[in-house]
Amino acid sequence: MEFSFDINQLFPERVSILDQTIVAGPKSALRPDLQAHIATVIDELGRASAKAQQLPAAITSASKLQSQRHQLYLLKDGESNGGRGVVVGFLKVGYKKLFLLDRQGEHVEAEPLCVLDFYIAENMQRHGYGLELFDFMLQHKNLEPVLMAYDRPSPKFLSFLAKHYCLTPSVPQANNFVVYEGFFLNRSAAQLRKVPLKKPDGEIKPYSLMTREVVRQEERARPWPFAPPHSPQRSGSSQCSHSLSVESSPSRTPPQAAPASSPGSNRDQRPQSPLIERCRIRRTR
Ligand code: ACO
C-alpha cells in the first residue's frame, strides 16, 4: 500500500507496534503532521481490511485505536516505492473477557488475547507476510496461537491458522469467537473460571460486548453480512497444510465450528512447541 509521504520516516522498524498513543517506537513527541500521516495510514488500512472482509464499516481506525486498549502491529517493506517504503499490512490484538464453552459444553470465563483484525494488502497476500507479522506478534507476546481467541475469523484466516499453526478443529462456541482444543488444556485453573449456571441455557449471554458489535451499533448499519441462506457454510475443519480455496475476498460468514474430536496433547506453551515446530517443518518443505 503506497502513500504520498515517506513511510520509512513514520515507521523506522520493519514491524512497528502502535497503541493508544498511536506513535510508533519511543514515546517521543511527534510532529503533528507526522501524527496525521500515521492516522491516515491506520485509517486507510482499516478501510481496506473492512472491504476485504466485506464489513459494513471499518473496525480499525486511528480514533478507535486511541480510545481502545488494543495493539496494532504494522508491517512495512522499506525498500519499495523508490525507497520511501510501502505498508504491507497489520494485525490488531487485544484482551477480551469472554464466556466460552469448553469441550464438555461447560461455560468458562476467560480473558485471552484476541485477534481482532488482520489484513495484508491484496497484491501481497500469500507471500508469507501474514505469517511474518503473526509470528512477530507471538514472539512479542511470548504466546502460543492455541491460547488465543479469534474474533470471527474469515475463511482465509481460518485457512492460515490451519496451515501455519495446525489449528483445527475448533471447539464450538455460542458466540463469534473461535478457540481451539488446546485453549482449555493449556491454561492453568487460575486463567479459566467455570461459570455457574444460574439460568436455563437459553438465557445465558455467552459473550461480552465485542468491537464488531460496537461498530455495528455505531454505524447503525445492516446486520453482519451473514452468508446468503443458500451459500454453503464453511466447515471450519480444514486439515493442517490443506488450505481452503478462496478465490476472491471472503464473505464474512460466521465460522462454523467443527465438532470436537480427540483432545489435544498437553503442549509446551512457548511458540516453539512441538506442534508449531511440526507446522514449521511442513511449511519449510
Ligand atoms: N484463500 C485461501 N487461503 C488463503 C488465501 C486465500 N485467498 N490467502 C491466504 N490464505 C491462507 C492460506 O492458508 C495460505 O496458504 P496457501 O497459499 O498455501 O493456500 C496462507 O494463508 C498464506 O499464508 P501467508 O502468505 O503468510 O498469509 P497472507 O500474507 O496472505 O495473510 C491474511 C493472511 C491476513 C488472512 C490475508 O490473506 C488477508 O489479509 N486476507 C483478507 C483479509 C482477511 O480475511 N483478514 C482476516 C480477518 S479475520 C480477523 O481478523 C479476526
Side-chain angles (χ1 to χ4, degrees):
M1 195 177 270
E2 288 181 14
F3 292 88
S4 57
F5 38 81
D6 190 345
I7 290 300
N8 289 324
Q9 189 188 7
L10 294 181
F11 308 109
E13 306 295 331
R14 182 164 170 88
V15 179
S16 301
I17 306 170
L18 307 173
D19 58 14
Q20 277 182 310
T21 63
I22 299 286
V23 181
K27 309 266 180 294
S28 54
L30 201 66
R31 274 174 23 211
D33 56 327
L34 298 185
Q35 286 270 19
H37 285 161
I38 292 177
T40 302
V41 170
I42 297 170
D43 289 347
E44 196 61 42
L45 283 169
R47 271 194 293 273
S49 178
K51 192 176 170 205
Q53 299 173 60
Q54 299 181 356
L55 304 180
I59 51 177
T60 298
S61 67
S63 63
K64 285 189 171 75
L65 194 62
Q66 277 172 315
S67 63
Q68 293 163 337
R69 297 183 63 186
H70 299 154
Q71 277 183 315
L72 188 149
Y73 296 81
L74 185 144
L75 175 66
K76 71 161 187 184
D77 172 0
E79 267 115 61
S80 301
N81 196 19
R84 294 160 71 87
V86 294
V87 176
V88 175
F90 77 99
L91 171 63
K92 191 174 76 173
V93 298
Y95 289 94
K96 295 265 173 189
K97 189 172 274 190
L98 302 176
F99 291 91
L100 299 166
L101 297 168
D102 68 13
R103 289 191 63 248
Q104 284 72 43
E106 286 197 61
H107 286 87
V108 168
E109 192 181 330
E111 195 166 355
L113 188 69
C114 302
V115 175
L116 306 169
D117 205 357
F118 189 18
Y119 174 73
I120 297 293
E122 311 297 327
N123 58 333
M124 300 179 117
Q125 289 176 16
R126 281 183 145 163
H127 286 77
Y129 290 113
L131 179 64
E132 180 184 347
L133 198 47
F134 207 88
D135 271 351
F136 183 97
M137 179 275 297
L138 293 176
Q139 295 280 343
H140 182 245
K141 295 286 184 190
N142 196 16
L143 200 61
E144 206 180 331
V146 76
L147 296 177
M148 299 184 71
Y150 301 91
D151 189 359
R152 209 189 280 263
S154 67
K156 286 183 186 179
F157 189 29
L158 288 168
S159 170
F160 172 94
L161 292 171
K163 177 191 167 100
H164 294 309
Y165 303 108
C166 294
L167 286 183
T168 182
S170 58
V171 179
Q173 298 300 320
N175 57 30
N176 295 318
F177 283 83
V178 166
V179 289
Y180 295 88
E181 284 181 4
F183 181 90
F184 300 99
L185 296 170
N186 286 349
R187 265 165 207 273
S188 64
Q191 288 173 292
L192 292 179
R193 199 163 63 85
K194 296 258 185 229
V195 182
L197 290 183
K198 291 199 184 124
K199 295 177 180 176
D201 262 348
E203 293 179 37
I204 290 174
K205 285 207 167 170
Y207 46 86
S208 59
L209 194 62
M210 292 166 295
T211 315
R212 285 166 163 77
E213 290 299 324
V214 174
V215 167
R216 197 163 59 188
Q217 286 159 15
E218 277 175 359
E219 306 292 334
R220 300 198 176 170
R222 289 183 298 124
W224 204 262
F226 286 99
H230 301 301
S231 316
Q233 295 287 304
R234 193 192 172 279
S235 79
S237 59
S238 59
Q239 300 291 308
C240 187
S241 295
H242 289 242
S243 48
L244 295 166
S245 192
V246 181
E247 294 308 324
S248 55
S249 295
S251 63
R252 196 72 151 141
T253 50
Q256 291 285 304
S261 61
S262 61
S265 57
N266 199 359
R267 294 184 295 265
D268 182 1
Q269 297 191 15
R270 300 282 73 82
Q272 280 73 32
S273 72
L275 172 78
I276 295 182
E277 274 310 301
R278 276 202 303 280
C279 287
R280 281 191 207 288
I281 289 163
R282 272 198 202 108
R283 231 156 57 200
T284 344
R285 280 189 200 142

